[in-house]
Amino acid sequence: MDPKRLSSSSQQQVHLRISGKGSICGLTIATGGAARLIFGYDSYGNTCGQRNEQIEGVRLSGLDHRDRKFVFFLDPCNIDIVQRKIKSMALCITLCPTEELTTYQDLKRFAMVNGSELCSYELAGHKYPGLPERFSKCPKLPVPPSKPLPVFNRCTPLDVSCYAKFAEAVVTFVSDNSVLHRLIAGVAASKEIIIGLCVLALVLSMILMVIIRYISAVLIWILTSLVVLGSLAGTSVLWWLYIDHRLYGNDTSTKVTKEVKEEVEVSRDSGQALLVYAVAATVFTIILLLLMLFMRKRVALTIALFHVAGKVFIHLPLLTLQPFVTFLALLLFWIYWILVLLFLGTTGNPVQNEETGLTEFRLTGPLQYLTWYHAVGLVWITEFILACQQMTVAGAVVTYYFTRDKNRLPVTPILSSVLRLFRYHLGTVAKGSFIITLVKIPRLILMYIHNQLKGKENACARCLLKTCICCLWCLEKCLNYLNQNAYAATAINSTSFCTSARDAFVILVENALRVATINAVGDFVLFLGKILIVTSTAFAGVLLLNYRQDYAEWLLPLIIVCLFSFLVAHCFLSIFEIVVDVLFLCFAIDTKYNDGTPGKEFFMDKALMEFVESSRRLERAVERGRSRVKEAVSEGAEMKPMAPGTSSA
């Protein structure tokens, strides 16, 4: 397989996206937005810690703040939750107050001793107690003790009680500050246990990936049997309830009253509902039994693929590190994205807020749409990183599958897959992630509109919005699955994205029943594996945290542990799912172009070979049975007696 060079258009697509994201960051640095975010600025447009230029129309601007490096808010608890802004006046000061200041005499003493004036610049520090402007241009009393943030040089109150309102808005189940403090204290006191449980979830995920290989057959047949038995039991119970209702639910007294008539009507409706439920359950059970009967061979293929996937992880153990690498890449990009977003919030021209009178920096003209471009970039680059993971895994698995002697695998197949990705297939990944972005962005916009109009729109509009959101979600999932198989086809044939997507689609359509079985049974097994890891970690957490008397103290740590364990299990088992899907596509292509004869030998593993041989034996047995039936029918036709009244000449 000789990979083809990346097309120039695909290269330009990737380079434009990278240069576009870099240009936004460069713009914010060049225009001073980054400096204003890091060093902070006051309500007059002056950046703290440096000499400033005069801003036309803004008084007290253009001050020399080289000795004033910290930002101080006169009322740090005045938070606008909707706009996510601190509405207090901000000043540049020399030193943050480390002790509580309760009177204006304390403000004066602090200014005289430390040389740090906490009121507006035009007010003299030694006149604070007697100035009439002290109520509007001095900090709100009492001034809480504070310390500067490590990087951003903002004086932050040590007591977080003034942020309780904001915390209550974010965490809606908190009704008072005492509960909030107990939750935070519970997390702080249980940090060692939380870390230990997170490590436990990580270990359990790795162990489960190994166990699935050895018990896949037993596990899948047990689960399918439980589903069949559950449907049979549910159907039997519904029919029993309906028969019981028909036998004993129609007994009424001879005295007919209005209330009795109403009870009879309700009883009749209940009987009809039970009949409908029982019939629907019966139809579902029959369909399920027929599916299990006709798809039992395909369930065996799922078992074989799970078995081979376990071998893949044994030969390529570094695949287990893919979730960590992907998470690290996503984390670094998200940090970069948030920093650039904050830079954009402090970039632009100085504008005076009419409501608060404070000076803010806002982008105007065409530059105001940079935030939307930046938001689209978040979705696209996130999907691009996830697609790179899928392409890397697909390349490594394809190398494993199409190497006949597994002992002669390349030394670093995963590294080779990464190098091929960056050298040849970045355009393929960029196109696939862009298609997902084109579907995801409208869905996110519709979800935002739906949330904004909640309680205002009529029933028809609400139903239409939900329908569109659901359809876009289904389309996104289908495209994700097709893209994943397109990346595998690219790794096999080294073709372009569109050609690979077409080839993968043809293969999937030709094996539609197999695909449905593998996705239904395989996804169900992996979902149960995620639930098993979460419940096991939660149970261990309950045992470790049980000694605490107050339930609220360890409720939040347990929730954190459960969320993290589900995230870890999802990451690991999603890699397992990708491996199974890639193996199936390789298997389908292998059986399509090879038949096991000399010159067309299979590449597949022994477990898959056994599945193919058993399928062929079954097909030959069915074919022999059909030929015997045809012979019996033909012999019967030859021995048929002549009709009465006829004779030979």
Side-chain angles (χ1 to χ4, degrees):
M1 295 182 296
D2 296 327
K4 297 180 179 179
R5 284 284 183 180
L6 190 67
S7 64
S8 59
S9 61
S10 300
Q11 289 178 338
Q12 292 174 0
Q13 188 182 43
V14 178
H15 293 161
L16 283 175
R17 170 54 56 185
I18 296 175
S19 60
K21 301 297 290 184
S23 299
I24 296 178
C25 183
L27 174 67
T28 59
I29 295 175
T31 55
R36 280 190 287 269
L37 174 69
I38 295 174
F39 299 110
Y41 63 97
D42 61 17
S43 297
Y44 305 105
N46 300 299
T47 302
C48 299
Q50 59 183 255
R51 182 190 293 273
N52 297 276
E53 297 181 359
Q54 177 71 33
I55 300 175
E56 184 179 356
V58 179
R59 65 183 187 89
L60 297 178
S61 61
L63 300 179
D64 186 359
H65 283 333
R66 285 178 291 181
D67 59 340
R68 298 174 178 178
K69 299 182 179 180
F70 304 107
V71 181
F72 176 74
F73 297 98
L74 302 189
D75 186 8
C77 300
N78 188 5
I79 301 174
D80 186 350
I81 297 175
V82 177
Q83 299 295 329
R84 298 178 296 280
K85 293 181 179 179
I86 297 179
K87 300 173 68 175
S88 167
M89 178 182 288
L91 301 173
C92 294
I93 63 174
T94 306
L95 187 67
C96 297
T98 56
E99 298 179 356
E100 187 179 48
L101 307 177
T102 57
T103 65
Y104 291 103
Q105 286 290 346
D106 293 337
L107 293 178
K108 173 184 175 181
R109 190 180 307 109
F110 183 80
M112 296 296 100
V113 173
N114 301 294
S116 185
E117 298 176 349
L118 303 182
C119 296
S120 187
Y121 303 132
E122 70 267 27
L123 303 182
H126 64 280
K127 297 181 180 180
Y128 284 169
L131 292 175
E133 299 94 338
R134 66 184 183 276
F135 299 106
S136 58
K137 296 185 178 181
C138 285
K140 183 180 179 180
L141 298 178
V143 179
S146 60
K147 66 177 182 179
L149 291 174
V151 178
F152 294 98
N153 298 331
R154 268 74 167 177
C155 294
T156 307
L158 298 177
D159 185 9
V160 297
S161 60
C162 66
Y163 302 113
K165 182 180 178 182
F166 178 74
E168 290 171 17
V170 177
V171 188
T172 55
F173 62 82
V174 177
S175 58
D176 58 81
N177 295 344
S178 60
V179 175
L180 176 63
H181 291 161
R182 288 202 304 272
L183 290 172
I184 297 175
V187 174
S190 309
K191 56 182 180 296
E192 294 85 2
I193 297 177
I194 293 175
I195 295 174
L197 291 173
C198 292
V199 173
L200 175 64
L202 185 64
V203 174
L204 289 176
S205 299
M206 293 181 176
I207 293 175
L208 183 62
M209 292 175 65
V210 177
I211 290 177
I212 287 177
R213 175 198 171 188
Y214 295 101
I215 65 169
S216 56
V218 177
L219 182 62
I220 290 176
W221 284 120
I222 287 176
L223 291 175
T224 52
S225 300
L226 288 176
V227 171
V228 171
L229 292 176
S231 61
L232 288 173
T235 304
S236 302
V237 169
L238 287 173
W239 280 113
W240 177 77
L241 290 175
Y242 173 71
I243 294 172
D244 182 73
H245 182 272
R246 287 294 303 269
L247 293 176
Y248 305 105
N250 295 327
D251 295 338
T252 56
S253 59
T254 55
K255 183 179 180 180
V256 179
T257 62
K258 183 178 180 180
E259 291 78 6
V260 172
K261 289 182 179 179
E262 293 178 355
E263 291 180 2
V264 171
E265 291 295 330
V266 172
S267 177
R268 185 180 297 112
D269 293 340
S270 300
Q272 292 177 352
L274 284 173
L275 178 61
V276 171
Y277 296 152
V279 171
T282 303
V283 173
F284 173 79
T285 302
I286 293 174
I287 294 175
L288 182 63
L289 291 173
L290 292 175
L291 287 175
M292 290 299 171
L293 178 64
F294 289 107
M295 300 178 71
R296 63 188 184 278
K297 291 192 300 181
R298 296 172 180 86
V299 173
L301 175 60
T302 305
I303 295 171
L305 288 173
F306 270 59
H307 184 76
V308 177
K311 289 185 178 180
V312 171
F313 281 96
I314 291 176
H315 285 87
L316 308 176
L318 292 181
L319 279 179
T320 56
L321 297 180
Q322 287 301 305
F324 297 104
V325 176
T326 304
F327 177 75
L328 180 61
L330 288 173
L331 183 63
L332 292 176
F333 169 68
W334 290 338
I335 292 174
Y336 168 81
W337 188 87
I338 292 173
L339 284 177
V340 174
L341 181 65
L342 295 175
F343 290 165
L344 286 173
T346 54
T347 301
N349 300 319
V351 178
Q352 196 166 23
N353 191 313
E354 297 180 357
E355 180 183 354
T356 61
L358 310 180
T359 301
E360 301 174 354
F361 291 87
R362 298 176 184 173
L363 292 171
T364 57
L367 294 179
Q368 62 183 323
Y369 300 107
L370 282 179
T371 305
W372 291 102
Y373 178 82
H374 191 54
V376 172
L378 171 66
V379 180
W380 190 356
I381 301 299
T382 299
E383 293 295 331
F384 178 81
I385 294 173
L386 294 174
C388 286
Q389 171 186 282
Q390 295 175 354
M391 191 73 190
T392 301
V393 174
V397 175
V398 166
T399 301
Y400 169 85
Y401 187 95
F402 289 103
T403 301
R404 296 188 186 278
D405 187 359
K406 308 305 180 187
N407 296 321
R408 305 182 68 177
L409 282 168
V411 179
T412 55
I414 298 177
L415 181 60
S416 301
S417 178
V418 173
L419 294 178
R420 286 196 301 271
L421 165 65
F422 282 99
R423 188 177 180 184
Y424 302 110
H425 303 311
L426 279 180
T428 298
V429 173
K431 288 178 181 177
S433 57
F434 181 68
I435 291 173
I436 300 299
T437 304
L438 290 180
V439 178
K440 181 169 285 188
I441 291 296
R443 182 171 66 85
L444 294 176
I445 294 175
L446 290 177
M447 290 174 63
Y448 174 77
I449 295 174
H450 181 264
N451 291 330
Q452 292 296 111
L453 297 179
K454 187 171 292 184
K456 300 178 182 179
E457 78 279 19
N458 56 33
C460 181
R462 182 169 59 252
C463 180
L464 183 61
L465 277 174
K466 289 184 177 180
T467 303
C468 293
I469 292 171
C470 182
C471 292
L472 288 174
W473 181 84
C474 294
L475 178 60
E476 180 185 338
K477 294 300 179 183
C478 294
L479 289 176
N480 262 321
Y481 184 73
L482 181 60
N483 280 1
Q484 179 179 308
N485 286 276
Y487 301 146
T490 298
I492 296 171
N493 301 318
S494 298
T495 50
S496 64
F497 175 78
C498 295
T499 303
S500 300
R502 181 200 63 198
D503 295 341
F505 181 76
V506 171
I507 294 293
L508 294 177
V509 170
E510 291 175 350
N511 299 269
L513 291 178
R514 287 178 172 177
V515 171
T517 306
I518 292 171
N519 283 314
V521 178
D523 290 352
F524 184 61
V525 171
L526 296 179
F527 174 75
L528 290 181
K530 297 174 187 178
I531 298 301
L532 176 63
I533 292 173
V534 173
T535 53
S536 300
T537 308
F539 180 70
V542 170
L543 293 180
L544 292 174
L545 297 168
N546 190 40
Y547 67 92
R548 300 186 181 276
Q549 298 297 323
D550 190 352
Y551 179 79
E553 288 184 1
W554 56 269
L555 174 62
L556 187 57
L558 194 61
I559 293 175
I560 294 174
V561 167
C562 290
L563 291 176
F564 182 82
S565 61
F566 183 81
L567 177 63
V568 169
H570 176 73
C571 290
F572 276 91
L573 295 181
S574 294
I575 293 293
F576 194 93
E577 182 180 0
I578 293 174
V579 171
V580 171
D581 290 338
V582 175
L583 284 174
F584 170 73
L585 191 68
C586 295
F587 170 78
I589 293 176
D590 194 10
T591 54
K592 182 177 181 179
Y593 295 104
N594 299 314
D595 55 9
T597 58
K600 291 186 177 182
E601 295 85 359
F602 289 120
F603 288 91
M604 65 186 66
D605 189 87
K606 183 179 179 181
L608 292 172
M609 191 76 73
E610 292 175 354
F611 167 77
V612 172
E613 291 299 329
S614 62
S615 299
R616 287 181 174 179
R617 285 195 298 268
L618 183 60
E619 290 175 359
R620 286 195 293 267
V622 172
E623 191 64 30
R624 284 196 299 268
R626 290 176 180 173
S627 61
R628 289 175 182 174
V629 171
K630 290 180 180 179
E631 291 176 0
V633 171
S634 61
E635 290 176 0
E638 292 174 359
M639 298 176 63
K640 184 176 180 181
M642 296 175 58
T646 61
S647 61
S648 59

